[in-house]
Amino acid sequence: MTDAVTADRIDPSPAGKGSITGTFDAVVVGAGFAGMYMLYRLRALGLSVRVFEAGAGVGGTWFWNRYPGARCDVESMQYSYSFSRELEQEWNWSELYAAQPEILAYANHVADRFDLRRDIQFETRVTAAHYGETEQGWIVGTDRDDLVYARFCIMASGQLSSLHPPEIPGFDQFQGDWHHTGAWPHDPVDLKGRSVGIIGTGSSGTQAVPVVAKEAGRLYVFQRTPNYVLPSPNKAMTPEYAGVWKAHADVLRRKAHETRTGILYNFGTKSALDVSDDERTAEFSNRWKTGSSILAAYTDFFTNIDANGKAAEFVRDQIRTIVKDPATAARLTPTDYPIGAKRICIDSHYYQAFNRENVELVDIKAEPIERFDARGLQTTRRAIALDVIILATGFDAVTGALARIDIRGREGQPLASKWQDGPTAFLGLMISGFPNLFTVNGPGSPAALSNVLMSIEHHVDWIAGCVQTVRARNCSTVEPSQAAEYDWTNTVAEAGRTSLFQKAASWFNGANVAGKPKQFLVYVGGIKAYREKCSAVVANGYRDFIFE
Ligand code: FAD
Ligand code: N01
């Protein structure tokens, strides 16, 4: 099963063999929003760059995740690049929250507008990257037998690009069609009138359910943990709204930088416990109706478990109201972790889908899946016949894409052995013992809990600044000190440990992949604190770094 899912995306072959086929100042791995902007910035510094991208096109997440219902849950005026005023002014979004095809079209527009493709080698997977002490740079190998040398290597390989299939026996015996949401086919998938099973009810699964339900003959939703799913405020973009954004983009984006997530919501200013029950319910109800974020209504959902409980209970009430069958409603209701501790899901009529005759919720905690077979799957209670299985089981997040590359630093140390007990990195950007290797959104970055595109721009700008400094100082290499890396790793762990995020098993803390060290992979302290720290290490003359 694991092999089947990953075979088309992995082909490990060691670097260091054969002769060098190309020399560049920098190699960038991945042509999602991070890799594209990294290329743009490095080019502007005058560097020669080669980008390797496993997919056949740009866009990363939005190239791979073409499943029915895939859509952004950050407003598109915010989830778009800010680096070019012209780009910002000329691009028009058709909806407030763009769907996958439009975001992919935007990525392609950016690639064309800035002539990025000439430096991107598509359908090429980087399999190895070895630091050469003599060369003071990186030798990078691919599954197409490239073996290139570059002084700098930037991993823009994505936090959510490495698929995580479920470990359930018998999958290879299944005779029907199956697809992972994160590697959805480019050709339309025929679901009409067929018996479809969706495994997983995270952000991907909850987006897919309402859309698939309308097409499938019968839809089984296999749920292990219920999620809190809030209504999407999506609607058509109006010229007035876009016009205000475009006119004030600088100010609005600067304001967003000052928030914890980098996303501008309609923020409340009081504690949820300082208002009457009636006032709070009215506020929640209004936000539920309009799709305005419930978690922004009051200031203390992430710091006070009692305040959090008020929002959680309101959502539970909505589930009970919307879902007509009380037993199904009860199974859909999260009860054992705070709202927001797993990533909030934003839906378009998820709960309503369970009122349809053709949709059935299968609670696989009560009725675990034992195995797949030729005709579908077998739970502990019954056989369920399926024509199509949709795996919405998520990703080996943050470290997965890096773990699939044979990365070796000083003295040939494999990154896998350095990270065997969990990843250590400085600011999610660099790793000690791995000079001139940068990670965009690496472990310890707050990106996953933010408007990721905004975090990407910040990280890429920081990396470009660091590369520029190496050159300006007439040095060959830079790496963080072990002490700085140790301190930041502890800061990330401590922020996680003392937060509500530790009260749920999620990919934020490595809990979704069997055998993965349980450690906070995301800095939960917010982007404001993080950005200040990043600026401080530059302002103090990169004291936490070793330049050679
Ligand atoms: P990616 O987009 O993942 O790109 C990484 C690229 O690297 C991929 O194309 C991959 O093929 C390539 N790659 C990886 N390994 C290799 C290798 N070894 N060799 C060659 N190429 C390689 N964020 C938000 O802020 N708001 C949202 O609403 C939102 N929605 C999302 C919806 C989905 C379905 C998913 C999965 C994620 C979503 N995210 C969202 C997070 C999203 O991943 C980021 O917003 C952003 O697109 C990440 O860009 P990236 O370039 O860092 O990584
Ligand atoms: O993955 P997930 P995702 N048997 O890990 C279940 C971004 N994103 O692809 O919770 C049965 O969240 C698992 O169950 P449990 C966003 O950052 C954003 O949905 O572990 N079930 C869970 O229900 C998001 O957080 C958007 O008990 C199994 C589901 O599969 C991230 O991508 C849209 C299982 C996985 O949920 C990942 O989201 C989509 C097994 N063996 C994605 N293994 C938007 O912004 C796992 N599961 C709109």
Side-chain angles (χ1 to χ4, degrees), residues 471-543:
R471 289 158 65 93
R473 291 185 181 184
N474 226 353
C475 291
S476 300
T477 64
V478 61
E479 66 180 292
S481 71
Q482 278 186 2
E485 177 175 286
Y486 179 83
D487 283 351
W488 183 250
T489 304
N490 280 340
T491 300
V492 173
E494 191 54 22
R497 231 186 343 261
T498 53
S499 75
L500 291 184
F501 291 97
Q502 51 93 12
K503 291 187 184 290
S506 75
W507 63 263
F508 296 149
N509 49 37
N512 68 324
V513 175
K516 193 163 172 169
K518 302 297 166 276
Q519 178 182 324
F520 271 88
L521 298 170
V522 181
Y523 175 58
V524 305
I527 64 153
K528 186 169 186 294
Y530 173 82
R531 291 170 76 100
E532 284 166 4
K533 172 76 182 172
C534 289
S535 300
V537 299
V538 174
N540 74 18
Y542 290 93
R543 267 206 314 262

Side-chain angles (χ1 to χ4, degrees), residues 199-207 221-231 288 295 312 315-316 318-319 323 328-347 350-351 354 361 365 392 504-508:
I199 302 178
T201 53
S203 298
S204 303
T206 55
Q207 281 192 328
V221 180
F222 297 92
Q223 170 196 273
R224 192 164 64 183
T225 311
N227 251 304
Y228 296 92
V229 186
L230 309 184
W288 185 272
L295 291 185
V315 176
R316 292 183 195 120
Q318 301 312 302
I319 301 171
V323 180
T328 303
R331 289 199 297 270
L332 282 167
T333 303
T335 52
D336 58 359
Y337 65 94
I339 186 168
K342 271 175 175 298
R343 192 183 186 282
I344 280 292
C345 300
I346 305 292
D347 83 308
Y350 175 67
Y351 294 121
F354 293 92
L361 181 71
K365 268 202 179 130
S506 75
W507 63 263
F508 296 149

Side-chain angles (χ1 to χ4, degrees), residues 340-400:
K342 271 175 175 298
R343 192 183 186 282
I344 280 292
C345 300
I346 305 292
D347 83 308
S348 298
H349 308 297
Y350 175 67
Y351 294 121
Q352 287 84 345
F354 293 92
N355 292 332
R356 296 174 64 100
E357 289 287 316
N358 68 332
V359 178
E360 182 181 340
L361 181 71
V362 184
D363 176 355
I364 57 172
K365 268 202 179 130
E367 184 186 348
I369 302 172
E370 284 188 323
R371 62 187 156 77
F372 295 100
D373 57 28
R375 297 193 56 233
L377 57 77
Q378 181 77 45
T379 73
T380 47
R381 290 190 193 152
R382 55 184 159 149
I384 297 179
L386 297 169
D387 302 312
V388 185
I389 294 176
I390 297 176
L391 301 175
T393 47
F395 303 88
D396 180 356
V398 185
T399 53

